Structure formats: C-alpha cells, structure tokens
Amino acid sequence: MQLGVCYYPEQWPAEGWAEDARRMRELGITWVRIGEFAWSEIEPEPGRLEWGWLDRAIATLHAEGLKVVLGTPTATPPKWLVDAHPEILAVDEHGRPRGFGSRRHYCFASPVYRELSARIVTLMVQRYGQHPAVAAWQTDNEYGCHDTVLSYSPAARLGFRRWLAQRYGSIEALNAAWGTVFWSQRYRHFDEVDAPVGTVTEANPAHRLDYRRYCSDEVVAYNRMQVAILRAQSPGRPIAHNYMGFFTEFDHHAVARDLDIASWDSYPLGFTQDRAGLADDEKRRWLRTGHPDIPAFHHDLYRGMNGGRWWVMEQQPGPVNWAPWNPAPADGMVRLWTWQAFAHGAEVVSYFRWRQAPFAQEQMHAGLNRPDRVLDQGGREAAQVAQELQQIATKTPLRGLRVQAPVALLFDYASHWIGQIQPQGADYSVIHECFRAYGALRGLGLDVDVLPPDADLAGHALIVLPALLHVDEALAARLAAGTAQIVVGPRGGSKTAQLSIPDTLPPGPLAALLGLKVTRVESLPPGIGEPAAGLAQPLPLMRWRERVETAGAVAEACYADGEPALLRHGRARYLAGCPDVDGWRAVFERAAADAGLPTQRLPDALRVSRVGSLTVACNLADEPQTWQPTGAASALLGGPTIPPHGVAVWQTAPAG
C-alpha cells in the first residue's frame, strides 16, 4: 500500500522542481508518474530531441528517493507531426478528421502513426530504460478517451477488410454469418465492405459488432507494439496502462494480457453525475461523496486483470472540470476513497495531480496543491493516509495483501457492445445492469471479483451473470460442471457471437443448466414496472420482461398474471426481468444462503471490504454509523463508531 502522484515538470519553472520533490517525499509520496503528454517538449522539431529537461526532472525526483512511472508520450502527437502526416488523424462517423489542439487525435489503425510511435517509444526507453529511478512504465494515456476508438479513416477501412478476410476466410462465410440476404446486403468480395456508418437507417448489427471487435483489436495491437519495445530494453520493470471508469469502447481484458499492472483513473463525483446511469435523486444523494459502489466496481473489475495486480493511477483529489456539474468532495472523502482502494487490493493509489494548473483545458481541475503551491484539502487528506499507513505498518505487514472474494460477477465487453447495437429498450445498458447487481452484492457485505467469461471460476461459491448476452459452449459447460450457485440475469445467452438469436432460442447454451426457454421479450418504458411476488419482499422488475417455457425449472416468484419471474433449476436461478438494486439483493440473499455465504444488509452508505487479514469499513454518510466485524478483531484505525465520511480498519482472520 503506497501513495503516488501525477506530475508535469514541463509545465512549471525548473527552479521549483526540487522543492516539489522534497514536499512529495515529506507528504508520504512514493511514486511519481510523468511524461505521458510531453512529446512536443521532448521533440520540439522533427529529429531535434531535447532530453535535458527530462533528465533533470528524473534526477530531481530520484534525489528524493521517489520512484518514477514514465509514460510514453503517444497520446499527444505534436503539431509538426500532424502537419507532416495528416493521415494519422482519426476520422469521425461523418468523415471529418479529428483536429489538433487537444489530445488523442490519432487513429489506432494508422500504420504511419504506429511506426512514428514505435520510434519515440524506442528513443525514450533507450535513454531511460535502465535508469535507477524509472521503476515502471505506462503505455500512452487513457486509450480511447473522447470517443477515439472507433475511427473511420482510409487506413481503418483497409484494415477492417484485412481483418474480415482473416476472420472469415471467404466472403461466402461472411455473408452467412452476417445474414446479408436480408435487405439485399450480399457482398461479392471483401473489398466491397465499408465501415458501418452513413447508412440510411441502422447498419447490419453483425457488421457493426465486427467493426467494434476490429477497432478493439487495433487498440490491443497498438498497445502490444509499445509493450514489446519496453520489455526488450527495460526488462524487469512492470508496465501498466490507465483505463477509465464506465468506459467500454475496447476490450480491456485483451489489452491487459500484455501488461503487468491494470490501473484506472478514479473520479467518483464525475462518474456519479455523468456515467453511472443513476436517477436524479441518486445523483443528489451522492453529490459530494460519489455513489459508494462506483469506485469499488471498477477496483474489482481491474483487479480481475493481470493476476490481481492493479493501481489507481489517477485519484480525484477535489473538484474536477469535465462533468456537467463538478461539486467538491466532502471533507474526508479523498482519504476514504484512498482507503477504499487499498481495501480492494490496490498496490498504489496515485493522485491527479500534484498542483492545479492555472492555464489550459484542465485549469478547473483540482490537485493536491492549489495553483499558488499551498496544500489543498486533498493534499492534507493524502498526508493523513500516509501517516496512517506508516502507523499500521508497525503492527502488520501491508504488502502483498490479496482479496479472496467468494462471489464472481462475469462482465464481457462484447456483450456490452451487443446491448448497445441492439438495446431493444432505450435505457438498457449491460454495464449499468452489472453495476446494479454488483451494488446489491456489496450491500450484503459480500466481496466480489468482476471477471471475464473465460476466467478461472474455481473457489467462487456464487457466480453471477447479470447481463452476459453472449455465452459460449465452453462457459456453459464449466458452469454446469461446477458446484457454485449461479444467478443469470435476463437476456443471458440471448445472442450468438454474430449477434443473432440462437437456433434453440435464448438462453442458448445455458438452456440445459437453467431448465427453460425464452419465447418472447418486451422492453418497458420508464415508469412502467412489472412487480413479482413470491419472495419475502416484493420483487420490482422494470425495463425488460420475458415469457419463458419451463423444462424443469420451477418458479420462485411470479408476475401478477402468473407468469414466472424468478426461476430455479438445481443450483441455477434465472430472472425473467430487470430488477432494481433491492430486487437483486432479495435474489442474492437466497442464492448466498444456498451457497453457505453469510450476508448482512448494510446501510446504503456503509461498505465493508476484506483484504488479506484486514477488514475495512467506509462510511459515506453525513452522520456516524456503527459497525464492527464479528469474531476476534483488533482495531488498527478507528473503531466501531465510524464518523461521517470516515474509515475504520481492523485486523481479522484472513478471508477464506
């Protein structure tokens, strides 16, 4: 458990760097990320490399014992490069090149930009790959931010045709997979296939899904190119990339396979207002704290990559600049978010940024320090965490702590794309359905692994598929052969890999496990609910309703018209409608009891997590709350009365 910070020495006078480095060390910072936006400062003109300033910056940080995460600067190609090679620019769905003047203006499919990126990464790693201060690398920055994964450039169009030829082998196979007999869409050869944009009405859904897959694979290939260069010339140093919250435009699991560390950029207040799909009353409720489960959901998602090694590369330290509205965190929340990340297994929590910039696009984004170099509220809370870590480390080791979660929640990026392409209901979102289910599990005090469908599920007593629209035969077989309790949400197994309805109808390969067949579906507009009865409490269902034929499954709850709403077949349960968080919680209580997992309904603003031998409770409420672990426990920080926006930590027996 260590602290870090993001720093931009090129944005400040060099005479202040030494003081910054000293103050970082004194505050308790261990890691400093630099360099990810510095290409124009490294190479102000083609071929003229100015390394001196970066040499001095790294040396200054090293002199204070700080470890550097060096970012490759490819997220921001400089103006001279764009002018010389305009073909590197991403192109939007209307055929317009993305312009220079901000960031992420390149196309992943551009072979020219891939070559230019390889050149600057090679030069950087040749200079710093063996530097004693450079202890880790970050590739690029926030792949795909600002809607830049899907590019429709000439290079992307040609690359897509090659990708299709490799995937299908023959144009006849593509026509069959896409169903191009519909609306006279048949192709004679791959060179006739364009990007799925500009059509009069919606493009072929299988065409759109394959374009999403192709663009995701281009991100994977671009990242893999950088990783190969870094590994060859800087061996032994871990490589990370910083993902984002509720961002699904490429397959993060596929990118992570080439990395050592998954990291993400945690901005709970912005995500609460802008990305989580919350109702207005929820946005008001969590205005200054953020929704309790937004950071945790992503912590557990990224912990599910790279063998459990993950960081927060950017932690919100105060008000941000990019959401529709940008409230300030309540006092104590920066500290709470930091401890929450550690409680989910983070190795490092790094704050963005060291000092608020008084200029350019992010001048309204707070840092640990104000623009006048005075420590801000977030900085004071970071210093408090550093002191608390030092205090606890005298009583118990804080390295190598792992989460042993009894519950696995399966999330798949391709299923999310399927749901976007054919939502069938305007407010349907795969990731939001998964988030609701996750919140219900966390509200019962359960630790959760968020995993891809091909993950090893051994050791999990409860496996949840909230919205896995495509399920392959291999996963269905593994679920059937296991012993875990299983809960499947509506639309599970409802689509093939090419976004068609399975020949046997949904739930496709899960039919034998679930003992049912879905024969009709309908989406419901906002405000329309179909409550079900049969559990200890009402089961409100909304957004989606299904009619099923049973083949061994029995109803545990039914709609008012007598049709099954919750069905059980052996170890497996199936929901024939979309529940809210309370509905998910009622279902999970039954499944957890059958799995032998103890649960406890927590207050909506209290969350409890276990990492190694530590139990951490976070109180996001505006008033004190009382909670403590059952059994033997020694308080390391705080106690059973947890103050508003406060944290308590106990030493308990390791989970599992």
Side-chain angles (χ1 to χ4, degrees):
M1 296 181 181
Q2 297 178 320
L3 300 181
V5 74
C6 304
Y7 185 51
Y8 301 92
E10 69 272 23
Q11 297 178 7
W12 308 107
E15 54 267 25
W17 295 351
E19 180 185 354
D20 285 340
R22 175 185 58 78
R23 292 180 61 218
M24 290 176 192
R25 175 184 56 77
E26 291 175 348
L27 187 142
I29 298 295
T30 300
W31 292 87
V32 184
R33 185 191 68 171
I34 65 172
E36 75 273 16
F37 297 128
W39 193 337
S40 66
E41 298 303 305
I42 293 169
E43 191 175 15
E45 295 180 17
R48 180 164 69 86
L49 296 163
E50 298 285 352
W51 297 111
W53 71 270
L54 189 52
D55 291 347
R56 293 190 296 275
I58 293 174
T60 300
L61 297 169
H62 185 46
E64 293 292 342
L66 298 166
K67 294 186 284 189
V68 171
V69 180
L70 189 54
T72 63
T74 50
T76 49
K79 185 64 162 66
W80 60 259
L81 190 152
V82 173
D83 288 346
H85 299 283
E87 69 273 23
I88 75 167
L89 294 172
V91 175
D92 71 14
E93 62 182 354
H94 304 292
R96 299 172 302 205
R98 308 297 287 263
F100 180 84
S102 58
R103 62 180 186 175
R104 299 227 53 82
H105 38 279
Y106 68 82
C107 175
F108 285 101
S110 169
V112 173
Y113 191 63
R114 202 164 291 189
E115 181 180 343
L116 293 167
S117 297
R119 170 184 167 272
I120 192 65
V121 172
T122 299
L123 291 169
M124 178 176 270
V125 72
Q126 284 176 343
R127 191 168 189 92
Y128 301 112
Q130 302 298 321
H131 195 292
V134 177
W137 291 89
Q138 176 186 292
T139 57
D140 205 268
N141 184 81
E142 294 183 339
Y143 286 141
C145 190
H146 318 300
D147 301 319
T148 52
V149 170
L150 298 181
S151 172
Y152 304 98
S153 68
R157 182 173 64 248
L158 293 173
F160 182 48
R161 292 167 178 169
R162 290 191 296 268
W163 185 93
L164 291 172
Q166 183 175 12
R167 182 176 180 86
Y168 291 103
S170 70
I171 197 65
E172 292 79 12
L174 179 145
N175 282 317
W178 286 9
T180 57
V181 66
F182 190 82
W183 284 357
S184 189
Q185 298 170 75
R186 187 179 300 277
Y187 297 100
R188 297 174 300 157
H189 43 76
F190 289 108
D191 287 345
E192 288 187 335
V193 183
D194 290 317
V197 291
T199 54
V200 174
T201 184
E202 66 174 297
N204 183 298
H207 188 173
R208 294 170 66 189
L209 179 59
D210 270 345
Y211 201 77
R212 298 291 294 269
R213 289 181 172 129
Y214 158 70
C215 289
S216 177
D217 284 354
E218 291 291 81
V219 178
V220 173
Y222 181 79
N223 181 73
R224 184 173 294 152
M225 171 272 295
Q226 294 206 18
V227 169
I229 296 169
L230 296 173
R231 288 210 193 285
Q233 304 206 42
S234 189
R237 291 164 175 82
I239 305 171
H241 178 74
N242 57 326
Y243 306 107
M244 295 174 287
F246 292 111
F247 188 82
T248 55
E249 297 304 288
F250 65 90
D251 187 337
H252 295 36
H253 293 113
V255 168
R257 293 186 187 107
D258 295 312
L259 299 169
D260 303 297
I261 296 169
S263 74
W264 81 287
D265 298 344
S266 177
Y267 294 94
L269 300 191
F271 297 152
T272 294
Q273 295 299 318
D274 193 39
R275 298 187 185 176
L278 300 174
D280 288 343
D281 60 336
E282 294 178 287
K283 293 179 182 180
R284 288 190 293 269
R285 168 72 175 85
W286 307 112
L287 179 72
R288 301 190 186 281
T289 63
H291 189 286
D293 298 314
I294 286 176
F297 175 76
H298 291 91
H299 296 340
D300 291 341
L301 170 66
Y302 295 121
R303 193 182 68 245
M305 307 177 191
N306 300 110
R309 292 198 67 187
W310 75 277
W311 295 12
V312 173
M313 193 64 79
E314 297 182 14
Q315 176 58 66
Q316 178 174 359
V320 299
N321 67 301
W322 49 263
W325 295 271
N326 295 283
D331 288 355
M333 286 308 304
V334 173
R335 170 179 175 256
L336 184 150
W337 291 327
T338 306
W339 272 111
Q340 186 180 32
F342 288 141
H344 286 257
E347 294 180 5
V348 174
V349 175
S350 173
Y351 303 98
F352 186 90
R353 48 189 279 164
W354 173 246
R355 181 179 171 193
Q356 182 177 350
F359 48 80
Q361 283 93 328
E362 293 180 349
Q363 61 184 276
M364 301 301 290
H365 194 304
L368 295 184
N369 290 271
R370 303 182 325 214
D372 62 359
R373 306 176 75 99
V374 174
L375 203 63
D376 205 347
Q377 177 67 23
R380 293 190 291 272
E381 293 183 26
Q384 181 180 352
V385 173
Q387 294 167 1
E388 291 166 346
L389 289 172
Q390 187 175 29
Q391 168 192 331
I392 293 176
T394 64
K395 302 175 183 177
T396 186
L398 293 180
R399 291 181 179 271
L401 301 182
R402 297 285 174 151
V403 175
Q404 301 294 325
V407 181
L409 186 153
L410 302 190
F411 172 73
D412 173 46
Y413 289 90
S415 283
H416 183 76
W417 302 336
I418 290 170
Q420 287 180 313
I421 292 167
Q422 282 198 331
Q424 191 65 9
D427 58 352
Y428 181 80
S429 165
V430 164
I431 196 167
H432 292 160
E433 293 299 327
C434 289
F435 176 64
R436 292 184 187 98
Y438 175 88
L441 291 164
R442 297 288 298 133
L444 292 172
L446 294 167
D447 293 306
V448 183
D449 287 330
V450 181
L451 298 172
D454 61 353
D456 181 2
L457 301 175
H460 293 97
L462 173 59
I463 301 171
V464 181
L465 290 65
L468 205 63
L469 273 58
H470 169 63
V471 175
D472 62 23
E473 297 283 355
L475 174 59
R478 288 193 294 132
L479 292 174
T483 60
Q485 293 291 311
I486 299 164
V487 177
V488 180
R491 305 186 74 167
S494 63
K495 298 293 183 181
T496 68
Q498 294 308 321
L499 215 164
S500 297
I501 299 171
D503 291 340
T504 57
L505 298 185
L510 295 175
L513 176 68
L514 296 172
L516 57 86
K517 178 186 295 186
V518 178
T519 59
R520 174 174 287 185
V521 302
E522 60 177 331
S523 57
L524 304 174
I528 304 298
E530 295 278 351
L535 303 184
Q537 65 183 65
L539 180 60
L541 298 169
M542 56 205 69
R543 292 183 298 282
W544 191 263
R545 178 176 169 175
E546 298 175 344
R547 180 174 294 173
V548 302
E549 290 180 0
T550 59
V554 297
E556 290 191 321
C558 293
Y559 291 107
D561 59 9
E563 291 287 336
L566 174 65
L567 301 99
R568 181 175 182 181
H569 185 238
R571 295 179 291 108
R573 285 178 169 87
Y574 184 80
L575 274 157
C578 288
D580 62 8
V581 174
D582 288 337
W584 276 117
R585 190 180 294 119
V587 174
F588 291 146
E589 280 181 317
R590 287 198 165 201
D594 292 339
L597 298 176
T599 60
Q600 177 187 6
R601 288 206 171 205
L602 299 173
D604 67 348
L606 182 70
R607 289 294 180 264
V608 177
S609 304
R610 285 149 285 268
V611 56
S613 63
L614 302 182
T615 296
V616 181
C618 296
N619 176 20
L620 287 82
D622 295 332
E623 60 279 334
Q625 299 202 66
T626 300
W627 188 90
Q628 63 182 340
T630 58
S634 173
L636 300 176
L637 182 66
T641 300
I642 309 168
H645 315 135
V647 175
V649 182
W650 291 267
Q651 177 98 49
T652 56

